[in-house]
Amino acid sequence: MFRGATLCCLLVTFGVSAWLPDLLHGAGYSLSVSLGSLIALKAGAVCVLVAGWLADKFGRKRVVVCTGPASALSLTGLSVAPPPVLVYALIAVVGLGTVGLRTLSNAYVSSYYPARARATGLGLNLSVGRIGGIVGPTYPGFMVASGLGLGGKFYALAVPALIGAGLLAAILASRGATKGRRPEGAAPQRMSGSA
């Protein structure tokens, strides 16, 4: 589930980074607004510092799970062609929910696995997730070539963000359900003083 969530996150990250100015320009925004959207996207990623503080305060799992739906809602909001100021605000949230989520989820992954498997778990997560980075720039290209309207293109980007958030929420739910249970096949702990 971690790997699927990271794949979705990187797909949206690279898809938005590659196609956002073109999508906005095609929606009738000026070239300066379209190119300025990339600055707003990176500014949103800087908000990961605030998200990190919130993660320390409220728990990284909850913050990580909330950023994906926020990104999906913001992409959906862009589909109605709002005023430029609102476009920048929505894109900043998308930046937090893509680039920022990737950073926060790495911390979540590293705390999820036991120390002996942490490097393997994180490495597999990042390597499988990189498939999303490869597919990401191509995926919106198919949406553009298919002749979808502006709304359809942004909805198509919002869907993977929601799937990734759902996978992270499922991890949180399964972790809560199995908390305190001994893993299958694990030897029972010995009591102190026993032979």
Side-chain angles (χ1 to χ4, degrees):
M1 287 189 282
F2 272 128
R3 292 163 204 154
T6 302
L7 189 150
C8 289
C9 178
L10 287 174
L11 188 150
V12 176
T13 300
F14 283 89
V16 167
S17 297
W19 284 93
L20 187 60
D22 187 62
L23 292 176
L24 291 175
H25 193 59
Y29 291 100
S30 68
L31 188 59
S32 61
V33 171
S34 301
L35 293 175
S37 66
L38 292 177
I39 296 170
L41 187 67
K42 299 305 178 192
V46 172
C47 291
V48 74
L49 299 173
V50 176
W53 176 79
L54 290 171
D56 287 340
K57 190 170 178 68
F58 299 108
R60 67 177 63 100
K61 293 174 267 192
R62 290 179 179 85
V63 174
V64 165
V65 168
C66 289
T67 53
S71 178
L73 286 173
S74 296
L75 285 165
T76 303
L78 289 171
S79 68
V80 298
V85 174
L86 189 53
V87 166
Y88 290 140
L90 290 171
I91 291 171
V93 175
V94 171
L96 173 62
T98 54
V99 180
L101 175 60
R102 188 178 68 214
T103 305
L104 287 171
S105 65
N106 287 342
Y108 183 17
V109 169
S110 65
S111 69
Y112 187 87
Y113 289 101
R116 68 181 183 280
R118 191 167 293 149
T120 303
L122 189 57
L124 284 170
N125 184 56
L126 292 173
S127 59
V128 172
R130 190 55 58 184
I131 295 168
I134 295 166
V135 175
T138 310
Y139 174 67
F142 285 124
M143 302 302 113
V144 170
S146 70
L148 279 176
L150 179 68
K153 293 168 191 168
F154 282 115
Y155 298 148
L157 285 166
V159 167
L162 279 177
I163 292 170
L167 289 170
L168 288 171
I171 295 168
L172 178 59
S174 67
R175 181 70 174 229
T178 59
K179 195 173 183 181
R181 295 169 70 188
R182 193 173 69 237
E184 213 173 295
Q189 292 182 340
R190 292 187 175 193
M191 301 295 287
S192 59
S194 62

